[in-house]
Amino acid sequence: MSDFVSNGWSLFVAATTVLGLLLCLVLLIIASRRKPMADDNSTGHVWDEDLKELNNPLPRWWMGLFVLTVVFAGGYLALYPGLGSYAGTLNWSSGQQYKDEQARALAAMDQVYAKFKDLPVETLARDNQAHGIGERLFANNCASCHGSDAKGSKGFPNLTDNDWLYGGEYDTIVTTITNGRQGVMPPMAAAVGTGDDVRNLANYVLSLSGSPHNSVAAQLGKSKFAACAACHGADGKGNHALGAPNLTDKVWLHGWGEPAVIAMINNGKQNVMPEHGSRLSPEQIRVLGAYVWSLSNQPK
């Protein structure tokens, strides 16, 4: 593998490029020398009895463009990288240009976000310009999972119902956007017992939200809920510190009904909210967080 990053490959690329330009010039010189091969200015080749191949010189405009192309290529290779590892006299690189463009964009954004720096979340959420910026940031970074209306779907939380796994306070939302979340529901079948025990527990979980369930099975599964209470709480209302869902409402993030609850108990679940701190600036996250907060805190 070291052969691909050694200086030899750089020399090979540079030599091949220079040789290609020289061959173009040689071809140009050869083509410009007109040597009639017959008295009638033809090459002496005849097809179909009367179709002759003439030996006329190349048009001057074509020759001029050819020369300009070679000269331009030589000038480009002197100024910009192209000859192996040679950086060119301008020392230009696409990576540095990207960094410079990013720096200019961030400087321009700082002027826009400066006015929102000290605004409380309530004021920031009602500001039309901040709301519009937050909406576009949401569409570009969050809508692919949570939907354009932020109402989520199976496996992706609804952000408009004020029912939060980790809490709906503004600072918590900003932390979630910045650092992301990793929610883990471990398989609990071994801790619960047999298949009937799992089914009974599933019916008890359904009974907590008043969902359709088998009341006899639910009563039998109530004692088994102790294995779940460490995360979801003895009352089943969840735990924001752990991201454990509230089981007493009828909003089911990963599916609804007895089969879905049984599958969750048997197999567990792992869900990931990716971090955006490396993609968005703190100022952008602050405005985006205010927009997300406003979705579930609409004025009465």
Side-chain angles (χ1 to χ4, degrees):
M1 186 63 184
S2 60
D3 295 340
F4 290 93
V5 294
S6 66
N7 191 50
W9 282 106
S10 175
L11 295 176
F12 172 77
V13 172
T16 302
T17 304
V18 173
L19 182 61
L21 289 177
L22 292 177
L23 288 177
C24 287
L25 290 175
V26 171
L27 178 63
L28 184 63
I29 294 172
I30 294 175
S32 64
R33 294 181 178 179
R34 185 168 66 92
K35 294 182 179 180
M37 300 176 66
D39 295 337
D40 57 355
N41 193 37
S42 71
T43 62
H45 299 152
V46 179
W47 293 273
D48 199 19
E49 297 184 358
D50 59 354
L51 185 61
K52 297 180 179 180
E53 179 185 8
L54 299 180
N55 191 30
N56 291 324
L58 295 172
R60 290 188 178 275
W61 65 266
W62 192 93
M63 296 279 288
L65 287 178
F66 206 128
V67 173
L68 288 176
T69 299
V70 175
V71 172
F72 174 83
Y76 179 92
L77 292 174
L79 296 174
Y80 295 96
L83 294 176
S85 59
Y86 175 65
T89 57
L90 296 180
N91 202 30
W92 176 90
S93 70
S94 58
Q96 186 59 46
Q97 180 175 341
Y98 172 77
K99 292 179 181 178
D100 294 341
E101 291 176 354
Q102 287 291 93
R104 289 194 296 269
L106 289 175
M109 285 195 302
D110 287 343
Q111 299 178 4
V112 175
Y113 289 102
K115 65 182 70 175
F116 308 135
K117 183 177 180 181
D118 299 320
L119 295 180
V121 60
E122 294 81 2
T123 305
L124 191 59
R126 291 194 300 267
D127 186 276
N128 289 333
Q129 185 180 14
H131 187 86
I133 294 174
E135 186 176 24
R136 288 189 290 275
L137 288 171
F138 183 88
N140 292 333
N141 297 278
C142 313
S144 58
C145 292
H146 295 282
S148 58
D149 58 358
K151 292 185 177 181
S153 61
K154 184 178 179 180
F156 302 102
N158 182 355
L159 304 180
T160 66
D161 60 359
N162 207 17
D163 182 17
W164 299 84
L165 293 176
Y166 294 91
E169 298 79 12
Y170 172 67
D171 291 340
T172 304
I173 294 174
V174 168
T175 299
T176 299
I177 296 173
T178 304
N179 302 326
R181 300 286 186 181
Q182 290 197 12
V184 178
M185 159 72 181
M188 299 298 295
V192 172
T194 65
D196 288 338
D197 291 328
V198 171
R199 178 177 173 273
N200 294 338
L201 175 57
N203 277 274
Y204 176 73
V205 170
L206 291 170
S207 73
L208 295 175
S209 61
S211 301
H213 64 280
N214 184 319
S215 58
V216 175
Q219 192 63 31
L220 294 173
K222 183 176 181 179
S223 61
K224 299 297 182 179
F225 189 75
C228 313
C231 293
H232 295 281
D235 56 1
K237 292 187 176 180
N239 187 336
H240 286 167
L242 300 175
N246 180 2
L247 303 179
T248 65
D249 61 20
K250 293 185 179 181
V251 179
W252 297 89
L253 184 59
H254 297 288
W256 178 88
E258 182 181 304
V261 179
I262 290 176
M264 188 66 66
I265 297 172
N266 285 330
N267 305 321
K269 191 73 176 182
Q270 183 170 356
N271 227 24
V272 177
M273 156 74 182
E275 59 85 19
H276 287 73
S278 60
R279 300 179 57 187
L280 303 175
S281 67
E283 293 78 14
Q284 289 177 306
I285 291 177
R286 188 170 186 275
V287 173
L288 175 58
Y291 172 77
V292 174
W293 179 87
S294 72
L295 296 175
S296 58
N297 289 273
Q298 297 293 337
K300 299 298 182 182

